Amino acid sequence: MSRRLSAGEDEPVVIVEYDLRWPAMFAEEAARIAIALRGHLLGTEHIGSTAVEGLAAKPVIDIQVGVRSLQPTRELVGAMAEIGYLYFPEMEADLPDRRYFRRGEGRRTHQVHMVERTNAAWWDRHVIFRDWLRTHPADAFAYAKLKRRLADDHRWDRTGYTEAKSEFIAEVVERARASTPI
């Protein structure tokens, strides 16, 4: 099942305070995904701001899913559809090494970024950023402040919001990599 995104049905960027239910929501969804993708799944990570305790975020659970191969896309899409996810193939025009899915009635509640687990650049960048924010509260606070400002500036422009965060994220990932002993 696939569905085209249109500007009219996208949601506003809204940042909320941290919700203690987010880790359990991720764990529940990760278990559902593991069953649906059995034989394909190599890893699942809770990424994004909902994965950082205390961090304000858009109330959407970001899930990074690593699979053996994206080549059986039809099979993967079917498995995800069975557990309530919509597939957005048009996202591949900008990110061909990723499959994007989202779930939720009305407002999205979960989104899945599926990549081949061998795509270490994508996988590691998200995990490194999450782990850094988990252990560096000053950076997490600065990120929350930035996101709130950007949400006000880009309320109806998710692409602009995401792009405006990219410099901060890149700087944090660079610092995290520089501080990790080889």
Side-chain angles (χ1 to χ4, degrees), residues 14 19 23 35-36 49 55-57 60 92 112-113 117 119 129 140 142 151 172:
V14 175
D19 187 327
I35 292 167
S49 297
L55 184 58
V60 178
E92 295 168 33
V112 169
H113 311 275
R117 184 56 188 94
N119 185 346
F129 183 66
V172 167

Side-chain angles (χ1 to χ4, degrees), residues 26 29-30 32-34 36-37 41 43-47 60-67 70 76 80-81 83-88 91 95 98-104 108-115 122-123 126:
F26 162 74
E29 207 60 25
R32 293 177 71 235
I33 291 168
L37 297 180
L41 187 68
T44 307
E45 292 282 346
H46 187 186
I47 60 170
V60 178
I61 306 300
D62 275 303
I63 303 170
Q64 179 168 266
V65 169
V67 293
L70 293 174
L76 296 169
M80 294 297 286
I83 60 171
Y85 281 86
L86 295 174
Y87 170 52
F88 293 85
M91 303 292 270
L95 297 163
R98 180 184 73 153
R99 303 295 178 262
Y100 176 78
F101 302 83
R102 72 183 196 193
R103 175 170 96 78
R108 78 187 83 186
T109 58
H110 299 75
Q111 53 192 19
V112 169
H113 311 275
M114 184 182 293
V115 298
W122 172 276
W123 189 273
H126 289 85

